[in-house]
Amino acid sequence: MTAPTQFDAIADPNRRYLLEELRRSPRTVNELADGLPISRPAVSQHLKTLLDCNLVSVTAEGTRRIYAINKEGFKPLTLWLDQFW
């Protein structure tokens, strides 16, 4: 099985929601899970996919893991989309 691409990652509406929320500000899994009708473990799985695709980053603050947008990971998407403008 091949690793998911950035396009695969943003194809899922839950992951797009997570990206939109993280665009506003960095958040924890619990904070992100509050806005979705899926479990916290499911949110963690979605975040892992986004991490694997380099679309988000994570930092540890004590026992909390804070997720944030990783703008560098969006470059392949931007380069592909720019060819249409």
Side-chain angles (χ1 to χ4, degrees), residues 11 14 24 28 30 37 41:
N14 290 316
R24 291 178 180 88
T28 65
N30 288 336

Side-chain angles (χ1 to χ4, degrees), residues 8-29:
D8 296 324
I10 65 170
D12 184 277
N14 290 316
R15 289 193 287 265
R16 286 194 307 270
Y17 172 84
L18 292 172
L19 289 170
E20 290 168 8
E21 289 299 306
L22 291 173
R23 183 176 53 101
R24 291 178 180 88
S25 67
R27 309 240 174 124
T28 65
V29 173

Side-chain angles (χ1 to χ4, degrees), residues 8-83:
D8 296 324
I10 65 170
D12 184 277
N14 290 316
R15 289 193 287 265
R16 286 194 307 270
Y17 172 84
L18 292 172
L19 289 170
E20 290 168 8
E21 289 299 306
L22 291 173
R23 183 176 53 101
R24 291 178 180 88
S25 67
R27 309 240 174 124
T28 65
V29 173
N30 288 336
E31 290 169 336
L32 292 166
D34 286 342
L36 286 168
I38 58 176
S39 67
R40 195 201 64 72
V43 170
S44 293
Q45 285 296 93
H46 284 300
L47 288 168
K48 181 179 180 337
T49 299
L50 294 171
L51 272 169
D52 291 346
C53 293
N54 206 28
L55 294 174
V56 300
S57 61
V58 63
T59 56
E61 289 184 6
T63 59
R64 297 174 10 147
R65 293 172 53 95
I66 310 297
Y67 291 86
I69 291 292
N70 179 16
K71 291 182 182 182
E72 288 296 311
F74 284 86
K75 281 187 178 181
L77 296 169
T78 303
L79 288 172
W80 188 82
L81 288 169
D82 280 350
Q83 69 183 325

